[in-house]
Amino acid sequence: MNKTILITGASRGIGKAIALYLAPLGYDLVLHYNSNKSAAEQTLKEVKDLGGKARLLSFDIANRESTEKILTDDINENGAYYGVICNAGINVDAPFPAINGDAWDKVLHTNLDGLYNVLHPCVMPMISARKGGRIIAMSSISGVMGNRGQVNYAASKAGIIGAVKSLAVELAKRNITVNAIAPGVIETDMTADLPMEEIEKMIPMRRMGNAREIASLVAYLLSDDAGYITRQVISVNGGMI
């Protein structure tokens, strides 16, 4: 296949599930992590155990200069990415009056600015390669319908939707699709401390989703069969909206 896929935030959670799902499908994976090197190395090992080919890259997506340098160096050495999966993100939840400037800036700089910081060095090489491509960004149900205590997070994830829809128009004639996935409540480290009895009452399917259910959608959107799907926000939320 010889198609290289960058996955940000691949050391755990949804990012790791995506990496493991893609591992046996023949892609060359570039697994990004920020600070948890041991977890990233474990993901790399599990990918290789599944017969996958992968390498690690470490940078803070909120740091524009280092992100651009590391990605540009990797592309120059190994070639353009066919797919970029913008999965890395953070949340700092609180009622709006309790969200201080640092909490607002940290979430917006990481989640929304991080989308720009990762994609900007990747897009022109992808265009120049003339082989088409796939860009998939993780939004959230919070970015679609809002959520109490997540004004900063919802703003960042709604911003991702607007960026995806606009970029999809720009890149469509290049045969590069751009889509967003908006997960609902997915069983990961980020949801481990949530009051699930109350939350499950809000979910028509009465359960959390699992990360593999997101990963399988990513795999489909990367495939040739999904070549006519672009500018879409696909919700995976058990019927919450």
Side-chain angles (χ1 to χ4, degrees):
M1 182 177 292
N2 198 30
K3 291 178 177 177
T4 301
I5 309 296
L6 169 67
I7 308 168
T8 67
S11 63
R12 61 191 179 94
I14 290 174
K16 179 175 181 177
I18 293 168
L20 298 182
Y21 197 101
L22 297 180
L25 300 184
Y27 295 107
D28 293 343
L29 303 180
V30 181
L31 308 177
H32 157 266
Y33 69 98
N34 181 13
S35 57
N36 196 338
K37 184 177 181 180
S38 61
E41 289 176 338
Q42 178 62 30
T43 300
L44 178 65
K45 178 183 182 302
E46 291 180 37
V47 166
K48 290 184 175 181
D49 288 346
L50 290 169
K53 181 179 178 182
R55 61 182 181 272
L56 297 179
L57 285 183
S58 177
F59 52 87
D60 178 1
I61 64 170
N63 185 317
R64 184 165 298 157
E65 290 74 19
S66 67
T67 298
E68 180 178 16
K69 182 180 187 311
I70 290 168
L71 288 175
T72 299
D73 288 349
D74 188 64
I75 290 168
N76 288 340
E77 182 176 350
N78 299 290
Y81 306 135
Y82 176 78
V84 180
I85 301 164
C86 294
N87 167 74
I90 62 168
N91 64 300
V92 182
D93 296 347
F96 184 71
I99 297 175
N100 59 32
D102 287 342
W104 179 272
D105 290 344
K106 185 175 182 180
V107 171
L108 269 291
H109 287 331
T110 302
N111 296 354
L112 188 54
D113 292 353
L115 181 80
Y116 171 88
N117 296 343
V118 169
L119 288 181
H120 199 259
C122 299
V123 166
M124 275 310 301
M126 190 182 290
I127 291 171
S128 298
R130 298 180 181 275
K131 295 180 180 179
R134 302 284 188 266
I135 294 170
I136 302 166
M138 288 297 162
S139 181
S140 166
I141 191 171
S142 295
V144 176
M145 62 180 284
N147 191 33
R148 182 187 303 271
Q150 290 193 318
V151 174
N152 51 356
Y153 184 75
S156 70
K157 294 298 187 176
I160 286 172
I161 290 173
V164 160
K165 287 182 173 288
S166 299
L167 186 58
V169 176
E170 293 188 14
L171 297 181
K173 65 183 179 182
R174 308 287 187 174
N175 198 31
I176 298 170
T177 67
V178 189
N179 293 290
I181 297 174
V185 185
I186 306 298
E187 189 172 3
T188 66
D189 294 346
M190 290 179 69
T191 59
D193 297 327
L194 295 179
M196 285 316 304
E197 283 190 17
E198 292 301 314
I199 290 173
E200 286 179 358
K201 293 176 184 177
M202 301 166 56
I203 305 172
M205 293 192 76
R206 292 295 189 267
R207 68 171 178 87
M208 284 191 288
N210 63 70
R212 185 176 174 84
E213 290 170 315
I214 306 298
S216 63
L217 176 57
V218 170
Y220 173 66
L221 291 175
L222 288 172
S223 73
D224 291 342
D225 289 342
Y228 203 53
I229 300 173
T230 195
R231 206 183 184 187
Q232 301 305 304
V233 181
I234 304 174
S235 293
V236 185
N237 59 39
M240 291 181 71
I241 187 172

